[in-house]
Amino acid sequence: MDGLTAVQSRISEIQARFLTVPRPAVSADWTAAASAAGLTGTGATSAAAGTAPAGSASEAAVVAEARKFLGVPYLWGGTDPAKGLDCSGFTKLVYGNLGIELPRTSSQQATAGTAVASLADARPGDLVFFDHSPGRPGIDHVGIYVGDGKMIAAPQAGEVVKVQDVGNPAVIRRVLPAESASAVPATAAGASLSGVPYADLFSRAGSRHGVDPALLAAVAQQESGFNASAVSPAGAQGLMQFMPATARGLGVDPLDPASAVDGAARYLADLTEQFGSTELGLAAYNAGPGTVRRYGGIPPYAETQNYVRSVMSKAEALR
């Protein structure tokens, strides 16, 4: 059951997240497993991310889009996330979904945009390039810088798209338009939150920590109905319903909306990185990281499974 739960979660992520990318039909076995998980078709009616006009992307949008592919297996030559991605297939897909076309290979991508002098000058969303083959000089690997000395990349055969130390890139290129690179709040998702309570807090925190603002808003809607004074029977507090011990560990005031939303964004970013998918990050937010580790996937609790489905559905509706 533990292994099946993990497979179901992975399938759910692929089907719910990657509808903007053309792909062949999924096998009957995978479709049956996804149906058993109750997660098939989530977000099928959402607008395609790839329809964003060129130049509409921001730093936070790039990071949030890149995070959607965490856990996708590496596949040499791969451009379809339902099968696998290689390093340049991953970067091309991320930017393509945001309306910015990149060349196919890492060596070609290393000529796109404008040069960044050093890692100290790099911004989230910049492309970082490497020469890992001394016997064959030239760029052969690329990742997306996310800040704090980290990047998201599809490393090599046997691994998955993941967050890792950036190391010492040979080349850094900035492909975002200059006006977007300095913009703080607005991701495409954040801009769609007009009329949502605390929309500015979700957008700013999402930009700061690389989390989809619509996902943060969906968590708040699910947890408290946007009630910053809510207290649950179990003692969870505030807009994002932090338990007191969790809030203390994060240095968060759960009853201060700005503090709570920022803490939730940091927490969700960390959980997503730990477990490799948005769904597993949400499951850990609801049931605790230890529970997700113990079961090797979304726990077999109706509350947690319903929570993940509901938050993902709400996030798609808010985008």
Side-chain angles (χ1 to χ4, degrees):
M1 175 60 76
D2 295 351
L4 177 58
T5 302
V7 169
Q8 291 168 344
S9 175
R10 190 74 215 111
I11 296 165
S12 167
E13 182 180 10
I14 291 170
Q15 292 185 325
R17 288 292 191 181
F18 304 144
L19 292 172
T20 63
V21 184
R23 66 177 191 271
V26 181
S27 73
D29 289 344
W30 277 50
T31 302
S35 298
L39 295 168
T40 304
T42 300
T45 61
S46 66
T51 61
S56 66
S58 72
E59 293 173 1
V62 175
V63 175
E65 186 68 20
R67 283 185 175 277
K68 294 179 184 180
F69 299 92
L70 291 172
V72 173
Y74 178 91
L75 177 66
W76 187 83
T79 58
D80 182 348
K83 298 177 180 179
L85 298 169
D86 65 12
C87 64
S88 56
F90 162 67
T91 52
K92 181 176 174 61
L93 180 60
V94 168
Y95 268 97
N97 283 352
L98 295 171
I100 298 175
E101 289 301 316
L102 293 178
R104 174 61 184 93
T105 68
S106 58
S107 60
Q108 293 169 331
Q109 290 175 7
T111 65
T114 58
V116 176
S118 69
L119 194 58
D121 300 310
R123 299 288 305 168
D126 287 346
L127 295 175
V128 285
F129 297 89
F130 304 86
D131 177 5
H132 288 325
S133 302
R136 189 182 59 191
I139 297 299
D140 55 21
H141 186 56
V142 60
I144 295 175
Y145 188 62
V146 297
D148 298 324
K150 302 288 185 181
M151 68 176 180
I152 299 178
Q156 58 187 5
E159 298 195 49
V160 299
V161 175
K162 64 181 182 179
V163 180
Q164 57 186 140
D165 290 336
V166 72
N168 298 304
V171 175
I172 306 173
R173 303 290 291 188
R174 182 164 299 155
V175 295
L176 286 174
E179 61 273 20
S180 292
S182 60
V184 175
T187 68
S192 72
L193 296 181
S194 177
V196 174
Y198 306 105
D200 58 331
L201 298 184
F202 299 129
S203 294
R204 284 201 298 267
S207 175
R208 188 177 299 116
H209 301 293
V211 177
D212 182 356
L215 185 69
L216 291 174
V219 170
Q221 185 179 8
Q222 178 73 24
E223 292 282 0
S224 69
F226 298 116
N227 181 359
S229 302
V231 178
S232 78
Q237 300 175 322
L239 187 65
M240 309 306 287
Q241 288 290 279
F242 279 115
M243 292 299 289
T246 303
R248 284 194 299 272
L250 292 169
V252 166
D253 178 353
L255 297 175
D256 175 6
S259 178
V261 172
D262 187 80
R266 282 190 285 119
Y267 193 37
L268 278 171
D270 179 66
L271 293 173
T272 300
E273 180 178 338
Q274 283 186 51
F275 295 107
S277 79
T278 300
E279 283 82 355
L280 290 179
L282 289 171
Y285 192 98
N286 175 258
T291 305
V292 174
R293 290 192 195 95
R294 185 162 64 252
Y295 285 100
I298 298 176
Y301 304 149
E303 176 191 341
T304 301
Q305 293 177 352
N306 290 335
Y307 178 89
V308 172
R309 283 195 293 268
S310 181
V311 171
M312 293 296 291
S313 177
K314 285 179 170 65
E316 290 294 342
L318 289 168
R319 291 189 180 102

